Amino acid sequence: MLTAFRLFPETGSTIAKHVDHLFIFLLIVSGAITLLVFVLIMTFALRYRRRRGDKTIPPATRTYTSLELTWTIVTFCLAMVMFAWGAKLYARMFDPPDSAMVVYVVAKQWMWKIQHPEGHREINELHVPVGQPVKLVMSSQDVIHDFFVPAFRIKHDVLPGRYTSLWFTATKPGSYHFFCSQYCGAGHADMVGQVIAMEPSRYEAWLAGTAPEQTPADAGAKLFVKFGCAGCHGVNAPTLAGLYRSQVTLQDGSQVTADERYIRDSILDSTSQVVQGYAPVMPSYRSQVSEVQMMQLLEYIKSLKDPAAEEGRIKKP
Ligand code: HEC
Ligand SMILES: [Cu+2]
């Protein structure tokens, strides 16, 4: 079917129009400079070309300080505007609001496995309510992939061994194409899917209509026992209650925020960040915990909100 030619993909998220504005600005500035340079080259080449029979050598050129200064300052200012505008937008694009609902995305050759906080799992489909910020916490089970939703103007690499994240707020119901944009092997072209943005009431109905499996936090609670974590934590190891988003002091005195990445690294490579006042006795779970299990353990740890422990920890503002 032939649809009208469009310069831009659909705009389906709150950030999309801001990305477009910056893009158009960059396009106009670089177009104008290219045109100016082109016109100058043509003018000078024609006007000052060597004519037939002309044997004289042109005189040495003079330096015009004011001209040099003008073009340097003008282009410097333009570059600074681009930088400031881009940096501001980037900061906004990668700083999810606290109210964001967290959805886990695990990429593997060649599909996207998606898990909602309520326990719903999806493959190559992501249902979200319109108007609700959604934060994707992404990791890969094998090679590097990349999650790209053109209509939302968001895109980020999905890496094995660490979390990356993206966030968006869908603005209107509809289904938006997403795909892997990092060549990842023979089935790369099949790594596509749809974000299905729905009115909040319809989203609730969708949640109610599909049977939730065990919530990730519940599955995580079982793993916490199965992997023996419960034997140490809360006994002779630091309690994990209230840990998420708190400030942790490490052995070398440095402070880190216990975000998803910190907790993940603590589990997979426990000696890399040892909490102050504790011996590095925790075993490394690198080869034992799969990506899906890691996500479940994380959800369980996040769900531990002990008020007593929370008092002692400094919350992230
Ligand atoms: C042998 C006892 C032991 C076992 C088993 C153990 N841990 Fe630990 N864990 C510790 C100790 C001690 C620390 C503090 C020192 C450090 O950071 O290594 C710690 C630190 C942590 C931290 C960082 C805590 C903080 O306050 O910053 C997390 C998260 C964690 N463990 C999760 C787990 C999970 C999940 C499991 C099970 C998969 C587990 N641990 C199994 C002893 C253990
Ligand atoms: Cu891929």
Side-chain angles (χ1 to χ4, degrees):
M1 196 177 64
L2 243 162
T3 43
F5 174 73
R6 47 193 316 159
L7 272 179
F8 286 92
E10 220 175 327
T11 46
S13 75
T14 47
I15 208 89
K17 64 173 189 292
H18 301 285
V19 175
D20 290 356
H21 292 165
L22 178 60
F23 177 79
I24 291 168
F25 172 73
L26 293 178
L27 194 69
I28 290 174
V29 169
S30 28
I33 292 178
T34 310
L35 195 71
L36 179 70
V37 169
F38 181 76
V39 167
L40 287 177
I41 290 177
M42 291 308 284
T43 317
F44 285 111
L46 290 174
R47 187 146 174 220
Y48 299 108
R49 71 188 185 279
R50 173 173 283 220
R51 289 161 213 261
R52 201 188 297 276
D54 185 358
K55 293 280 188 306
T56 54
I57 292 165
T61 49
R62 277 204 290 139
T63 308
Y64 294 90
T65 315
S66 54
L67 180 71
E68 297 284 342
L69 276 177
T70 309
W71 80 257
T72 310
I73 292 171
V74 168
T75 45
F76 175 78
C77 290
L78 265 178
M80 279 300 122
V81 169
M82 290 178 189
F83 168 74
W85 189 343
K88 196 167 158 249
L89 185 58
Y90 180 87
R92 180 166 166 197
M93 285 175 85
F94 286 93
D95 186 25
D98 283 345
S99 60
M101 134 185 159
V102 175
V103 174
Y104 285 88
V105 176
V106 177
K108 61 172 275 195
Q109 284 166 323
W110 286 280
M111 62 169 82
W112 298 98
K113 292 200 276 188
I114 285 154
Q115 172 128 32
H116 290 257
E118 296 86 358
H120 298 76
R121 283 163 198 264
E122 307 187 66
I123 286 180
N124 296 344
E125 272 190 355
L126 169 57
H127 287 77
V128 292
V130 162
Q132 157 78 45
V134 177
K135 175 182 173 191
L136 305 176
V137 175
M138 311 183 292
S139 69
S140 163
Q141 220 165 285
D142 37 53
V143 299
I144 300 178
H145 301 275
D146 191 299
F147 191 79
F148 183 24
V149 192
F152 293 176
R153 311 290 191 275
I154 56 165
K155 174 178 182 302
H156 205 291
D157 272 9
V158 179
L159 308 168
R162 64 176 270 200
Y163 284 122
T164 53
S165 70
L166 276 177
W167 78 274
F168 62 86
T169 305
T171 48
K172 51 177 189 265
S175 93
Y176 306 96
H177 188 53
F178 70 75
F179 56 93
C180 179
S181 65
Q182 186 70 256
Y183 180 67
C184 58
H188 170 65
D190 297 327
M191 255 182 102
V192 294
Q194 304 286 332
V195 179
I196 296 151
M198 312 163 97
E199 290 299 347
S201 56
R202 295 208 38 218
Y203 177 73
E204 289 305 321
W206 174 81
L207 276 184
T210 47
E213 292 169 44
Q214 202 175 28
T215 68
D218 288 346
K222 293 202 181 102
L223 292 174
F224 203 71
V225 174
K226 184 182 150 216
F227 283 123
C229 322
C232 292
H233 284 280
V235 185
N236 52 10
T239 170
L240 302 181
L243 171 65
Y244 182 57
R245 307 200 75 170
S246 67
Q247 293 291 120
V248 178
T249 310
L250 300 182
Q251 220 171 28
D252 61 4
S254 60
Q255 291 241 326
V256 289
T257 303
D259 54 6
E260 281 97 0
R261 197 173 298 166
Y262 167 80
I263 296 175
R264 175 197 178 91
D265 291 345
S266 293
I267 298 170
L268 294 185
D269 191 4
S270 47
T271 49
S272 67
Q273 312 162 304
V274 177
V275 183
Q276 198 168 52
Y278 289 93
V281 291
M282 176 167 157
S284 200
Y285 286 89
R286 182 160 292 287
S287 50
Q288 300 174 47
V289 179
S290 75
E291 280 307 329
V292 170
Q293 288 173 328
M294 174 56 71
M295 182 262 305
Q296 292 165 339
L297 279 170
L298 249 171
E299 277 301 296
Y300 171 66
I301 292 172
K302 283 188 192 174
S303 74
L304 299 172
K305 295 200 180 78
D306 183 333
E310 269 185 326
E311 265 170 39
R313 293 191 186 261
I314 310 144
K315 277 282 161 190
K316 195 184 154 209

